[in-house]
Amino acid sequence: MDEPLFGGISRREIFIERFANAFIISTTMGTLATSVVQAVRTGVYMHTLLGVAVCLFAAIEVRLVNWYRVGDLEPSFKYIIFMLGFSISFLCLVANMYFFLF
């Protein structure tokens, strides 16, 4: 097996990354389900497009986390990955507020 380019990753970092992945995937799937339900209820199918867009951003986040875990990304990408995860979580929150309040 090939060695990671930038050294190994501690167990704590692996736990944090897996938790972040699970949290991002669960909030994104919840937003997608909400968007589909609201699109069917209201007849505005643009809600579904917003849910799909959030899922695509989450797929990019998950792929970056996997590359970071393997060691293909520099350690400085860790902060960018966390900020992207925070922005996706905030986007899910805003999308859910939009679906239920408007």
Side-chain angles (χ1 to χ4, degrees):
M1 187 164 124
D2 294 333
E3 291 292 322
L5 291 176
F6 301 102
I9 298 175
S10 69
R11 287 182 186 224
R12 185 177 134 235
E13 286 182 349
I14 290 173
F15 176 75
I16 290 170
E17 290 163 8
R18 287 187 179 160
F19 177 76
N21 261 349
F23 181 74
I24 294 295
I25 289 171
S26 64
T27 56
T28 303
M29 290 298 120
T31 302
L32 181 64
T34 304
S35 70
V36 170
V37 168
Q38 289 290 29
V40 171
R41 269 184 56 201
T42 62
V44 181
Y45 292 100
M46 293 296 285
H47 295 316
T48 306
L49 290 177
L50 180 59
V52 169
V54 170
C55 284
L56 291 176
F57 281 119
I60 292 169
E61 166 78 11
V62 169
R63 188 66 177 160
L64 282 174
V65 168
N66 288 340
W67 283 342
Y68 181 77
R69 188 181 310 142
V70 170
D72 289 343
L73 293 177
E74 293 182 20
S76 61
F77 279 91
K78 178 171 60 173
Y79 301 110
I80 295 171
I81 291 170
F82 282 129
M83 289 309 296
L84 184 61
F86 175 75
S87 63
I88 290 171
S89 300
F90 187 69
L91 179 63
C92 288
L93 175 72
V94 170
N96 285 325
M97 287 174 55
Y98 171 73
F99 295 147
F100 287 114
L101 297 178
F102 296 108

